[in-house]
């Protein structure tokens, strides 16, 4: 995907940064439970939208070592990532 641009929006929480790194699909993908044992260390997590709040997903990804998160929508449209995550960022 080098050079591919994917439209997106910034989350309402976290820092604004330029981020590069390897990506990995979260397990579980929807982030409804703790992610597989530190599997995300130094990676950007790819997580689906739904089942729990964005904040819960983000906190789980950070605990698993993720350096960033891409939330994927189940519809072909942009969406707002809202929430309050004072421990992130």
């Amino acid at each position: 995907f080098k050079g591919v641009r994917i439209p997106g929006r910034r989350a309402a929480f976290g820092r604004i940064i330029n981020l590069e790194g390897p990506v990995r699909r979260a397990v579980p993908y929807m982030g409804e439970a703790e992610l597989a044992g530190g599997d995300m260390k130094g990676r950007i997590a790819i997580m689906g939208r739904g089942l729990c709040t964005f904040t819960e997903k983000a906190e789980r990804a950070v605990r698993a070592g993720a350096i960033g998160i891409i939330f994927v929508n189940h519809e072909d449209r942009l969406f707002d990532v809202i929430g309050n995550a004072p421990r992130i960022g």
Side-chain angles (χ1 to χ4, degrees), residues 10-54:
R10 180 189 178 289
F13 52 87
R15 293 178 288 161
I16 298 175
I17 58 174
N18 289 323
L19 186 64
E20 287 187 27
V23 297
R24 178 169 285 167
R25 185 180 195 269
V27 176
Y29 174 68
M30 298 302 284
E32 72 276 15
E34 292 301 320
L35 304 188
D39 198 36
M40 302 307 288
K41 187 167 178 79
R43 300 180 186 280
I44 300 168
I46 299 176
M47 305 176 89
R49 179 181 182 197
L51 292 186
C52 61
T53 68
F54 292 118

Side-chain angles (χ1 to χ4, degrees), residues 20-89:
E20 287 187 27
V23 297
R24 178 169 285 167
R25 185 180 195 269
V27 176
Y29 174 68
M30 298 302 284
E32 72 276 15
E34 292 301 320
L35 304 188
D39 198 36
M40 302 307 288
K41 187 167 178 79
R43 300 180 186 280
I44 300 168
I46 299 176
M47 305 176 89
R49 179 181 182 197
L51 292 186
C52 61
T53 68
F54 292 118
T55 320
E56 291 169 314
K57 292 172 189 290
E59 289 173 344
R60 289 180 183 124
V62 167
R63 282 195 295 271
I67 60 171
I69 307 161
I70 298 171
F71 294 113
V72 178
N73 199 1
H74 54 279
E75 298 174 6
D76 189 17
R77 65 180 180 86
L78 292 177
F79 59 95
D80 293 319
V81 177
I82 57 174
N84 182 17
R87 294 181 298 248
I88 296 176

